[in-house]
Amino acid sequence: MVIKNVSLDIVCGITSKLPDTGRPEVAFAGKSNVGKSSLINGLMNRKSLARTSSQPGKTQTINFYNINECIYLVDLPGYGYAKVSQTEKEKWGKMIERYLHTSKNLKAVFLLIDIRHEPSANDKMMYEWIVHNGYEPIIIATKLDKLKRSQVQKNLKQIKEGLKLRPGTAVFPFSAETKQGREEIWALIDELTGLAPAATEEA
């Protein structure tokens, strides 16, 4: 995907009506501080369009990023953040569920897991929940640069076993620092959204 232009087009809060964008969408889910904003910025070749923060729980809305006027990357609120009240968490949960249920254009859901740790109870719950909503989550194992190369395969195995991934589930190790994994993720997005024949050289 050659990135010509990107913009944050639509921001949906808890009470917002979800848009029918009329374009293919791919969504990104992950617990707070797993590197979701960094991944989206990396995919878009932008430093700070998606707001990154050392303070977890920053994304409290569903953000639709318009790429080249042809697809949307959709940033879902982070989950599992302890300082947010249970009521607030439930509202976010309902908002995400409403999006998964009602989007006519959603082609795939990517679930981000920190490659350094075993999947948490929240990660497992989110994986099952996405499956329950009718999607086969694609796993992105973030923070790849924080591991020694010799540890990568062992930790990927830990993710696959921890989440009890269904056979054939795609897992992409990704580093926001080195951009390793970016091209592979874009190639899959292009394929899933029907943009595959387009040029996929570096933007």
Side-chain angles (χ1 to χ4, degrees), residues 7-58:
S7 59
L8 173 54
D9 262 19
I10 306 158
V11 176
C12 287
I14 286 163
T15 55
S16 308
K17 183 176 185 297
L18 289 166
D20 179 358
T21 61
R23 296 196 178 109
E25 298 163 12
V26 291
F28 297 86
K31 71 178 173 210
S32 303
N33 258 12
V34 74
K36 200 152 45 67
S37 299
S38 301
L39 166 75
I40 290 171
N41 283 326
L43 289 174
M44 298 189 298
N45 270 349
R46 297 295 184 273
K47 282 203 164 56
S48 58
L49 190 59
R51 288 187 295 274
T52 56
S53 171
S54 55
Q55 181 195 346
K58 197 77 179 155

Side-chain angles (χ1 to χ4, degrees), residues 175-187:
S175 162
E177 293 296 314
T178 66
K179 302 294 183 284
Q180 189 178 333
R182 180 182 183 274
E183 291 306 299
E184 292 82 351
I185 294 165
W186 262 124

Side-chain angles (χ1 to χ4, degrees), residues 63-179:
N63 297 335
F64 291 75
Y65 294 94
N66 183 342
I67 311 290
N68 293 352
E69 302 293 332
C70 62
I71 68 166
Y72 280 97
L73 301 186
V74 181
D75 186 6
L76 301 173
Y79 56 83
Y81 179 47
K83 285 189 183 166
V84 175
S85 74
Q86 192 54 40
T87 327
E88 202 67 14
K89 283 183 194 165
E90 282 167 14
K91 283 181 185 164
W92 292 357
K94 287 201 175 79
M95 177 165 72
I96 297 172
E97 190 164 30
R98 194 157 54 96
Y99 171 67
L100 294 180
H101 273 319
T102 60
S103 172
K104 299 186 182 87
N105 307 298
L106 183 57
K107 303 296 180 195
V109 182
F110 288 85
L111 178 60
L112 280 63
I113 306 288
D114 187 329
I115 196 168
R116 298 170 300 175
H117 310 297
E118 280 187 44
S120 67
N122 275 321
D123 291 330
K124 293 173 189 175
M125 205 157 55
M126 193 67 184
Y127 177 75
E128 287 304 330
W129 193 53
I130 295 168
V131 170
H132 177 70
N133 277 285
Y135 293 92
E136 286 287 332
I138 298 148
I139 307 301
I140 297 179
T142 59
K143 305 186 190 267
L144 177 63
D145 49 281
K146 305 278 197 289
L147 275 190
K148 294 195 178 97
R149 192 171 287 183
S150 58
Q151 297 172 297
V152 172
Q153 287 312 314
K154 177 175 78 70
N155 286 38
L156 287 174
K157 186 167 182 259
Q158 183 174 270
I159 289 174
K160 288 173 186 173
E161 288 174 355
L163 292 176
K164 298 189 175 72
L165 293 184
R166 281 140 185 78
T169 300
V171 180
F172 293 97
F174 176 78
S175 162
E177 293 296 314
T178 66
K179 302 294 183 284

